[in-house]
Amino acid sequence: MRQTLVAGNWKLNGSKDSIQTLVKGIADGMSAVNGTAVAICPPYVYIPMVQNLLTGTTIGLGAQDVTDQESGAYTGEVSASMLKDIGCQYVIVGHSERRALYGERDEDTAKKYAATRKEGLIPILCVGELLEERENGDTENVVARQLDAVIALEGVAALADGVIAYEPVWAIGTGKTATPDQAQEVHAFIRGKIAALDADVADKVQILYGGSVNGGNAAELFAMDDIDGGLIGGASLKADDFLAICTA
Ligand code: PEP
């Protein structure tokens, strides 16, 4: 049985006050969450504060991005070793917003995956197709290409050290969720593709679904064979909504 994981991606949201309330709300409700790991990914600047608030809880901590560089003249960047130093366990890499808004290419994401893994942190590798790509029948090609960039750089075994999040771009923040069958189809494709290279890795790797998951649709998505939890955007900003997903 694979461990399930629900991770919240807060994106560019929050303030000291709102984060204090949110983390307390999630922590207070954790006694109802059984058998799934839970993590939250605040904006960089709030990570140390959130880490303090999480003391004594089982909630994991992650960042939303990382540079592939180790140190040096890279103004504005944050390295995996820094994230490790301040207590992160997870790093989201290749989120579709990084790809679409900041021009992150597959090979950039692969380098971020490698940098994260090198520090012993867990990369959450986001893959997923645009609506146009789905409509053109290109979903599998796109997801395969995104995975292949990491496999080419790090080898297939490296995927066992991370988590994959399938996030159809057309479902992110749109309120349009992939149906459980649509999601399962792509998750099974991903697992099958990895299995063709290494069956053990395929069996082990957690594949999360992300894209407008909420308390009402989480249970049926998470019931699918190859869906091992979720990467949650909007619904991770309200404790009750996030907890409803974690208990699903
Ligand atoms: C995301 O951005 O990773 C995400 C899944 O967002 P949302 O849940 O808001 O669709």
Side-chain angles (χ1 to χ4, degrees), residues 9 11 95 97 167 171-173 210-213 231-234:
N9 171 13
K11 310 191 183 186
H95 190 280
E97 287 152 15
E167 301 205 302
I172 294 180
S212 299
V213 178
L231 181 57
I232 317 299

Side-chain angles (χ1 to χ4, degrees), residues 12 61 69 154 189 192 197 217 247:
L12 185 59
L61 187 58
Q69 301 296 328
E154 289 283 272
F189 167 74
L197 299 169
N217 60 27
T247 51

Side-chain angles (χ1 to χ4, degrees), residues 68 99 104-112 149-150 153:
D68 61 328
R99 294 178 190 260
E104 186 166 317
R105 300 161 303 167
D106 296 333
E107 50 273 37
D108 302 321
T109 298
K111 286 185 200 157
K112 291 180 178 189
V150 174
L153 186 67

Side-chain angles (χ1 to χ4, degrees), residues 125-141:
L125 169 66
C126 299
V127 297
E129 81 287 3
L130 305 170
L131 182 59
E132 191 190 341
E133 291 166 334
R134 171 163 284 262
E135 287 173 348
N136 289 340
D138 273 335
T139 298
E140 293 186 355
N141 292 337

Side-chain angles (χ1 to χ4, degrees), residues 156-161 191 194-195 198-206:
V156 69
L159 294 178
D161 298 333
R191 207 177 298 285
I194 298 169
D198 190 320
D200 268 359
V201 172
D203 197 42
K204 272 190 210 137
V205 70
Q206 292 167 301

Side-chain angles (χ1 to χ4, degrees), residues 19-92:
I19 286 175
Q20 204 139 8
T21 309
L22 176 56
V23 175
K24 188 176 178 330
I26 298 170
D28 286 351
M30 280 300 287
S31 54
V33 178
N34 289 312
T36 192
V38 173
I40 49 184
C41 303
Y44 286 135
V45 291
Y46 294 115
I47 290 173
M49 177 187 142
V50 171
Q51 200 210 9
N52 269 333
L53 294 169
L54 292 181
T55 306
T57 75
T58 56
I59 302 168
L61 187 58
Q64 301 172 16
D65 191 23
V66 68
T67 178
D68 61 328
Q69 301 296 328
E70 290 190 1
S71 65
Y74 301 99
T75 301
E77 297 292 348
V78 173
S79 70
S81 65
M82 291 172 180
L83 295 174
K84 184 177 178 183
D85 196 30
I86 60 166
C88 284
Q89 293 102 43
Y90 298 92
V91 181
I92 297 171

